[in-house]
Amino acid sequence: MSIDTSGIHHVTAIGTDPARNRRFYTETLGLRLVKRSVNQDDTSVWHLFYGDYEGSPGTSMTFFPYTNARRGQVGAGQVSTTGFLVPKASIEYWQRRLEEHGVDVGSPTHRFDETVLEFEDPDGLQLELVGRDDVPAGKPPDGPVPKEHAIRGFSGVTLQLQSAEKTIDLLKTMGLSEGGTDGPRQRFKTEVDIGSTVDVIDNVGQRGIQGAGTVHHVAFRITRENREEWRELLMDQGLRPTEVIDRKWFESIYTREFGGILFEFATEAPGYTVDEPLEELGESLVLPEWFADQREQIEANLPSLN
């Protein structure tokens, strides 16, 4: 049995105002709020999940919006940029749309065989829309963005590191293959439609500071059948992975890779419909059963999403 990852599962970042975060990702970017829950390590904080109509693995951008979070600083030891995949012919539409929504966006640039539009979310999180010719049809949600222009999921992430050699070896062990270079970028990729690329930028001097506008962790797709094999593989590489942790919608293993970036390995099943009907995803607060007796207190402590 191969235990290669099949690409990115989700990316989780830190925000501030949860209502503003929800407006930006649903109304400006046109993603669906597929799960509203809480940070399982701090239940006073929302955990908001956005994605395609089904919240499919490879489409899910999630947030911990701490209302009092200080602004972070992107640097070495971080995921510096998260990329969303769109049709290349839609880049002009997106440039116009972002400008109309008050987002500071520059002119498209070119990288590898892609057209790239860089911008930031309201907390300063570095994002990009990556236009490719071979995008899948996907399962876009009904919403403000026409389906022909909709975000299909992740294109990939960019890692910034002070010394990338061990991280590159890890990515290859995880099943990613070399995809060439473009300027300071080294690309590694999997053969999937979405969430397929990890770009590495080496020799970054200043270390990043975690806070609002930075990525907390990046998760890679694994299966429930081989999750223990993944733990063994990570330990064999000299890392210190956690035990398998039940997150209700997936089971996860966490480890800091050699450059300090938090990697999660998350199972594709059971998915976001395990506790909500597909048509009702994200409409109400859902809690894992181990928090059920705390619901009233949790709801009272959460800031408004409206």
Side-chain angles (χ1 to χ4, degrees):
M1 179 188 297
S2 170
I3 63 167
D4 293 350
T5 179
S6 55
I8 294 169
H9 185 285
H10 66 268
V11 177
T12 297
I14 300 172
T16 53
D17 182 342
R20 183 178 65 176
N21 180 272
R22 178 188 179 187
R23 286 195 303 271
F24 181 80
Y25 284 90
T26 60
E27 297 176 15
T28 301
L29 296 190
L31 300 176
R32 184 185 185 190
L33 178 62
V34 291
K35 190 68 63 178
R36 62 175 82 185
S37 191
V38 293
N39 183 337
Q40 295 184 23
D41 299 315
D42 182 355
T43 58
S44 68
V45 176
W46 285 103
H47 193 178
L48 304 177
F49 299 70
Y50 307 97
D52 68 359
Y53 181 71
E54 298 180 358
S56 309
T59 75
S60 187
M61 185 79 199
T62 93
F63 283 89
F64 300 139
Y66 290 86
T67 55
N68 60 349
R70 294 184 178 181
R71 178 75 176 265
Q73 179 176 305
V74 174
Q78 287 186 334
V79 174
S80 62
T81 309
T82 303
F84 294 110
L85 184 62
V86 298
K88 185 177 286 189
S90 297
I91 288 293
E92 184 178 341
Y93 164 86
W94 275 105
Q95 183 177 13
R96 185 170 60 251
R97 178 177 180 80
L98 292 172
E99 289 171 348
E100 290 171 351
H101 282 76
V103 178
D104 185 11
V105 58
S107 299
T109 58
H110 298 280
R111 180 192 307 150
F112 294 100
D113 58 348
E114 306 161 340
T115 303
V116 180
L117 198 60
E118 299 175 338
F119 61 102
E120 295 180 350
D121 83 352
D123 287 305
L125 184 70
Q126 295 182 7
L127 303 172
E128 57 190 23
L129 292 170
V130 177
R132 296 181 188 160
D133 289 324
D134 57 346
V135 297
K139 302 168 185 174
D142 294 323
V145 176
K147 291 190 176 182
E148 66 268 24
H149 298 305
I151 290 170
R152 305 302 203 261
F154 294 115
S155 58
V157 295
T158 300
L159 314 183
Q160 289 193 356
L161 297 158
Q162 289 181 326
S163 177
E165 183 178 358
K166 287 186 176 181
T167 301
I168 288 172
D169 288 342
L170 175 62
L171 292 173
K172 291 178 179 178
T173 301
M174 289 163 52
L176 284 79
S177 59
E178 295 186 33
T181 61
D182 190 316
R185 294 174 178 270
Q186 301 176 70
R187 173 154 290 184
F188 300 87
K189 62 182 182 177
T190 62
E191 299 302 321
V192 293
D193 290 336
I194 55 174
S196 61
T197 66
V198 177
D199 288 355
V200 175
I201 299 179
D202 198 1
N203 299 313
V204 177
Q206 187 172 5
R207 289 199 66 84
I209 300 172
Q210 192 167 87
T214 65
V215 169
H216 185 273
H217 64 266
V218 56
F220 295 92
R221 284 176 261 173
I222 63 173
T223 67
R224 299 176 92 175
E225 292 74 23
N226 61 27
R227 57 194 187 278
E228 290 296 342
E229 291 180 78
W230 272 99
R231 285 197 74 248
E232 293 175 9
L233 180 148
L234 295 169
M235 288 189 287
D236 289 345
Q237 294 297 304
L239 297 170
R240 300 176 63 184
T242 65
E243 298 293 329
V244 177
I245 300 173
D246 185 359
R247 294 302 193 191
K248 182 64 177 181
W249 312 289
F250 39 82
E251 295 176 73
S252 298
I253 302 162
Y254 300 85
T255 189
R256 288 206 179 270
E257 55 78 43
F258 300 102
I261 301 171
L262 184 58
F263 279 10
E264 177 182 353
F265 297 84
T267 61
E268 295 183 326
Y272 297 140
T273 57
V274 70
D275 55 0
E276 288 184 292
L278 177 61
E279 317 78 56
E280 298 175 14
L281 288 178
E283 293 183 6
S284 59
L285 172 67
V286 292
L287 299 173
E289 51 270 23
W290 48 91
F291 290 134
D293 59 349
Q294 304 174 44
R295 173 174 284 275
E296 186 175 342
Q297 179 183 356
I298 288 172
E299 288 183 327
N301 289 334
L302 288 170
S304 174
L305 275 185
N306 298 315

